[in-house]
Amino acid sequence: MGFSMGLNLVLLLAMVATNILSLYHLSSTLQSPKPPTQQPVPDHLLHQLNTIRATISHLTRHQPPSVNPSPTTTKPSIPQDLLLYSHLSSIASACHNHPDLLHKYMTYTPYSLCPLDSDLLAESLILHGCHPLPRRRCFSKTPPKPPSSLPHNPFPSSFLDSNVIWNKYPSCKSFSCLAKQSPGLGFDLNTEISKFMTYKTELDLPIPQLLQVAKSANSVIRLGIDIGGATGTFAARMKQYNVTVVTTTMNFNVPNNEVVAMRGLVPLHVPLQQRLPVFDGVVDLVRCAHAVNRWIPLTMMEFLFYDVDRVLRGGGYLWFDHFFSRRMDLSKVFGPLIGKLGYKKVKWAVGNKTDSSGLKNEEVYLTALLQKPVSK
């Protein structure tokens, strides 16, 4: 209350000073006996006027919202913690394109539990390019009974429902429900256990074959990144071959990140447009899963490919696993885009996408294993 009254007094004095200076200049012009020619404004007056105007503008921008806002006011006030954090660290420019979501995300009671819809809001902002998100001063709710140790087997007989807070997921409240309702998304362990281990068509690249290719080339695969890896099945299988793989994954209303962690693996909650949080030239393998496909804007895809090149060491491998696009686009757009990297083609297999969307749009799958030149 006192701060607001003091601020209003400063604003009033600044406006009065501006008017006095303007009247002084006007009166000196009228009293001049010379013909009414345009008189230049003295430099010292211009400087004082500009200083006062800048002060008014600065104070107005930072004036706190009124305790009793006018009934006609419709613009929401900026959350105080958002203002505070903006003075500590920069906020992604894309965040300003979605003020309603950002304000809702940053509206909470400090030092208490975070709102229950925080995760949904966070993911929505991230997918709109607002990343990294501003930090907050609230406590995230966690499962009441976390496991006492990491599992030795990343393919358990089942996932424990108690390891997930199901209130944030509207469609299912158990893993058995997810396995039935969302087949193929990584929650049916009976299906997941055979992935990456069998060869049915040219589009498949079993892990034993991948490791043999690297061995034959006197290369080694120790560290990897799985981009868009869902529940982490690829990383889980590679763990059994003593290869460490981190998985980038979004939830999309299912507990992908939680399942990756339950398997004793590392989930990275980052979108495809985010720079990979890994140093240059330190990984041996990057796998691009189904999330990397023709629906990504071409320019964004190109930046993604060159970010992959940044983190791959010389001699490392880039694996496009069932990348899908229209057949014509693969030959005219995506093939040349991949070719710009200058990588060696170890495997390049194309096959028809035979689901309803693939048949309708004349889509094909590409499975390609490419090796980065050592000289790069």
Side-chain angles (χ1 to χ4, degrees), residues 245-322:
V245 173
V246 295
T247 303
T248 76
T249 185
M250 302 296 287
N251 274 9
F252 300 113
N253 290 322
V254 293
N256 284 333
N257 280 271
E258 292 94 320
V259 169
V260 174
M262 272 189 263
R263 292 174 135 178
L265 307 168
V266 179
L268 296 178
H269 192 224
V270 296
L272 293 176
Q273 67 265 35
Q274 171 66 24
R275 183 179 188 266
L276 293 169
V278 179
F279 194 70
D280 299 4
V282 295
V283 300
D284 308 303
L285 171 70
V286 175
R287 171 181 173 263
C288 293
H290 290 186
V292 181
N293 58 64
R294 74 180 183 93
W295 294 112
I296 301 175
L298 192 62
T299 303
M300 183 188 298
M301 186 179 291
E302 186 170 32
F303 274 103
L304 170 62
F305 290 174
Y306 280 90
D307 196 35
V308 167
D309 177 79
R310 177 184 64 81
V311 302
L312 270 178
R313 65 166 176 82
Y317 293 93
L318 169 59
W319 176 11
F320 290 101
D321 189 1
H322 285 75

Side-chain angles (χ1 to χ4, degrees), residues 59-71:
L59 291 173
T60 302
R61 284 199 310 269
H62 291 84
Q63 184 175 8
S66 173
V67 177
N68 297 311
S70 169

Side-chain angles (χ1 to χ4, degrees), residues 1-10:
M1 184 70 164
F3 175 79
S4 181
M5 290 181 62
L7 182 59
N8 289 333
L9 181 59
V10 172

Side-chain angles (χ1 to χ4, degrees), residues 13-286:
L13 290 174
M15 285 188 286
V16 170
T18 304
N19 291 334
I20 291 174
L21 287 169
S22 300
L23 287 172
Y24 166 74
H25 173 63
L26 180 62
S27 63
S28 62
T29 303
L30 292 175
Q31 291 173 5
S32 175
K34 296 179 180 180
T37 57
Q38 184 69 29
Q39 296 292 324
V41 180
D43 290 341
H44 69 281
L45 284 180
L46 279 175
H47 177 72
Q48 292 176 27
L49 284 168
N50 290 333
T51 300
I52 292 171
R53 287 168 182 161
T55 302
I56 292 173
S57 176
H58 176 77
L59 291 173
T60 302
R61 284 199 310 269
H62 291 84
Q63 184 175 8
S66 173
V67 177
N68 297 311
S70 169
T72 59
T73 302
T74 58
K75 187 177 181 180
S77 60
I78 300 176
Q80 289 301 310
D81 263 31
L82 179 57
L83 285 173
L84 177 61
Y85 187 82
S86 67
H87 293 294
L88 303 174
S89 179
S90 60
I91 297 175
S93 59
C95 297
H96 301 289
N97 297 330
H98 307 278
D100 293 341
L101 281 175
L102 182 62
H103 288 187
K104 189 174 181 181
Y105 176 73
M106 292 300 292
T107 299
Y108 61 94
T109 303
Y111 317 118
S112 63
L113 282 176
C114 299
L116 189 61
D117 62 352
S118 292
D119 291 342
L120 297 177
L121 285 171
E123 189 149 288
S124 182
L125 282 166
I126 289 171
L127 291 172
H128 282 95
C130 179
H131 193 274
L133 290 172
R135 286 176 170 170
R136 302 190 301 177
R137 297 180 296 170
C138 59
F139 297 102
S140 296
K141 190 176 181 181
T142 59
K145 295 181 180 180
S148 58
S149 62
L150 295 177
H152 295 291
N153 180 13
F155 292 91
S157 58
S158 63
F159 297 125
L160 294 177
D161 292 336
S162 59
N163 288 336
V164 174
I165 300 174
W166 293 99
N167 291 342
K168 64 181 77 172
Y169 301 113
S171 60
C172 279
K173 306 300 179 185
S174 67
F175 284 113
S176 60
C177 170
L178 284 173
K180 294 176 182 177
Q181 192 176 100
S182 305
L185 292 186
F187 299 102
D188 184 356
L189 285 164
N190 294 325
T191 302
E192 295 302 296
I193 199 167
S194 63
K195 285 185 176 179
F196 306 105
M197 298 302 293
T198 58
Y199 182 94
K200 296 179 181 178
T201 71
E202 278 293 314
L203 295 171
D204 296 321
L205 180 58
I207 288 176
Q209 182 182 355
L210 169 67
L211 298 177
Q212 183 60 44
V213 166
K215 184 179 179 180
S216 300
N218 294 320
S219 187
V220 63
I221 297 178
R222 308 152 300 165
L223 300 172
I225 301 175
D226 190 14
I227 298 177
T231 59
T233 295
F234 176 70
R237 185 58 75 185
M238 292 294 278
K239 182 180 180 179
Q240 296 180 322
Y241 288 87
N242 200 31
V243 178
T244 299
V245 173
V246 295
T247 303
T248 76
T249 185
M250 302 296 287
N251 274 9
F252 300 113
N253 290 322
V254 293
N256 284 333
N257 280 271
E258 292 94 320
V259 169
V260 174
M262 272 189 263
R263 292 174 135 178
L265 307 168
V266 179
L268 296 178
H269 192 224
V270 296
L272 293 176
Q273 67 265 35
Q274 171 66 24
R275 183 179 188 266
L276 293 169
V278 179
F279 194 70
D280 299 4
V282 295
V283 300
D284 308 303
L285 171 70
V286 175

